[in-house]
């Protein structure tokens, strides 16, 4: 795809596999979860090579630079060539994933939910204390 061809932001995010559908990409853009060069864009905004895109998905934040333009959603290996993630962004995501893994591993998990008899006891106990 040549530089003169325009690619919509929502199409590029879908082609780069940040979102499963264009509708989800559009919702994220309209919701303020995507910024281009620090500004809040519209889904139809044309992208240019070298622009910096910040994408927030849940607790993770991706900071990527546009390397190629594409409107076709291909395999993941092709999608990875469309952008380059910054080292700081990658390190922050890995640190967040490690913290999440440790939080889940260290916290006590309930063995099972209370059954009907135990729920009745809990309700009686809480009503007495109210």
């Amino acid at each position: 795809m040549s530089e003169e061809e325009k690619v919509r932001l929502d199409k590029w995010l879908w082609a780069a596999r940040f979102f499963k559908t264009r509708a989800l990409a559009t919702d994220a853009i309209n919701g303020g979860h995507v910024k281009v060069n620090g500004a809040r864009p519209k889904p139809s905004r044309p992208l240019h090579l070298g622009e910096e895109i910040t994408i927030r998905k849940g607790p993770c934040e991706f900071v990527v630079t546009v390397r190629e333009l594409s409107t076709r959603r291909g395999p993941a290996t092709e999608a990875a060539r469309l952008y380059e993630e910054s080292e700081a962004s990658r390190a922050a995501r890995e640190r967040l994933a490690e913290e999440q893994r440790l939080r889940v591993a260290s916290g006590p998990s309930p063995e099972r939910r209370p059954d009907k008899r135990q729920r009745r006891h809990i309700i009686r106990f809480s009503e007495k204390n109210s």
Side-chain angles (χ1 to χ4, degrees), residues 8 10 12 15 20 25 30 32-33 37-38 47 50 54 56 59 65 73 75 81 83 93 96-97 100 102 106 121:
R8 290 172 53 111
D10 59 346
W12 187 88
K20 195 168 186 171
N30 290 333
H33 300 284
N37 295 328
L47 274 182
T54 305
R56 186 150 192 84
T65 305
R73 185 178 172 99
R81 285 189 292 225
Y83 61 90
R93 280 191 313 105
L96 185 65
Q100 179 69 17
L102 291 173
S106 66
H121 286 294

Side-chain angles (χ1 to χ4, degrees), residues 51-106:
E51 288 188 313
E52 184 178 88
I53 302 176
T54 305
I55 306 155
R56 186 150 192 84
K57 288 182 71 175
C60 298
E61 186 172 286
F62 298 85
V63 179
V64 299
T65 305
V66 178
R67 291 291 165 221
E68 291 182 34
L69 300 176
S70 177
T71 57
R72 189 180 81 79
R73 185 178 172 99
T77 54
E78 284 182 27
R81 285 189 292 225
L82 297 179
Y83 61 90
E84 182 181 325
E85 187 174 7
S86 69
E87 288 299 321
S89 170
R90 186 176 291 119
R93 280 191 313 105
E94 289 172 357
R95 185 175 58 250
L96 185 65
E98 181 67 19
E99 288 173 4
Q100 179 69 17
R101 187 186 66 75
L102 291 173
R103 188 177 311 119
V104 168
S106 66

